[in-house]
Amino acid sequence: PATSSAPAVAGAWLGFDQVLRGGLPPIARAGLNDVLDAGLFLLVWAGLVGETRFAAALCWRPLQVLGMMCYSIYIWHDPLLELMVPGRAVLPAAAFAVSLMAFAVALLAVAALSYRFIEFGRVADWRRLFLLDRSQPATV
């Protein structure tokens, strides 16, 4: 299931990019949402089915921390993207790639601070919030 999800997710992302750039009409997003949902469903299914490498990869602590920080990432991604890469639809590929990497670094920093100090400001043991306490199991 994990390998069959990649073409669906990648195809949907490429389609959304074409809508953004004017290559596809905006109504195409409705169908692209279904394709993306099907691909993400297959991805989740692959993580839940048996003892696979993909399922084992989901126990990787940095990935789990990103999952726990997902609300902060969600809240900050659009304002930061608009601030850092406002004309992304017309940027050349190289400039877009550099801008996207800078955006990703800034997003992770802001989201980590937001996760720690806004979402869980009252938690004294910040090492547990970032799964740095090795005495705690990696699975949540």
Side-chain angles (χ1 to χ4, degrees), residues 73-125:
I73 292 169
Y74 168 72
I75 289 295
W76 290 106
H77 85 278
D78 190 51
L80 277 176
L81 189 60
E82 291 299 323
L83 178 71
M84 295 180 71
V85 197
R88 60 192 171 278
V90 295
L91 282 178
F96 178 71
V98 170
S99 298
L100 199 58
M101 284 188 259
F103 161 73
V105 170
L107 177 61
L108 288 176
V110 170
L113 290 170
S114 176
Y115 171 72
R116 169 60 184 106
F117 293 108
I118 296 174
E119 286 188 66
F120 293 99
R122 293 184 181 192
V123 174
D125 187 6

Side-chain angles (χ1 to χ4, degrees), residues 2-40:
T3 56
S4 58
S5 69
V9 172
W13 285 346
L14 291 172
F16 287 129
D17 182 62
Q18 285 301 306
V19 170
L20 178 67
R21 295 176 186 276
L24 288 173
I27 192 71
R29 288 181 294 194
L32 291 169
N33 277 331
D34 292 339
V35 173
L36 180 63
D37 289 347
L40 294 175

